[in-house]
Amino acid sequence: ISDNNLSRKTASLIYQLRVGHAPLNEYLHRFQKVDSPRCPACGAARETVEHLIKICPGYAHERWKLMKHFVASDPKLEDILSNPKAIIPLSEFLAATSRFKPAEKPRQEEP
């Protein structure tokens, strides 16, 4: 993913989404990192890449801005993840969902 407007972290996340190794609950549940594969936004049984990007009603508002960049009303997931013209809108969608914000580190109390 080569776009000078993307941070390394965002480019890495898009790559992880492409190969199916993104930190989504279905993937994390396989390694017992989370208790359930459910989607935290809508409660669907499995939070997959396709669910996040194309289906989840919890991110419908954020998704419309991404989908207007495609001629087809229902583009294939592969097209969304690999279309060079959609990379920036995809990164904006991911940021708008706040799904991948790092968990806050607990504050260390001073001795």
Side-chain angles (χ1 to χ4, degrees), residues 11-61:
S12 175
L13 176 59
I14 292 171
Y15 179 78
Q16 291 171 6
L17 290 165
R18 284 180 179 177
V19 299
H21 292 256
L24 296 171
N25 284 349
E26 183 183 59
Y27 180 75
L28 296 173
H29 186 256
R30 289 177 22 203
F31 302 101
Q32 300 174 345
K33 299 291 184 184
V34 295
D35 293 334
S36 168
R38 290 194 170 279
C39 174
C42 74
R46 295 177 20 209
E47 184 190 32
T48 64
V49 175
E50 183 170 25
H51 175 80
L52 171 75
I53 294 175
K54 293 186 63 182
I55 300 169
C56 184
Y59 301 123
H61 179 74

Side-chain angles (χ1 to χ4, degrees), residues 9 17 21 57 63 71 82 92 102 105 111:
K9 182 177 178 179
L17 290 165
H21 292 256
R63 184 177 302 110
V71 175
S82 63
E92 291 169 350
K105 294 180 184 174

Side-chain angles (χ1 to χ4, degrees), residues 70-95:
F70 295 92
V71 175
S73 62
D74 186 22
K76 293 181 181 177
L77 182 62
E78 295 80 19
D79 294 337
I80 297 169
L81 292 171
S82 63
N83 183 335
K85 293 180 181 178
I87 294 298
I88 297 301
L90 177 59
S91 71
E92 291 169 350
F93 165 76
L94 295 171

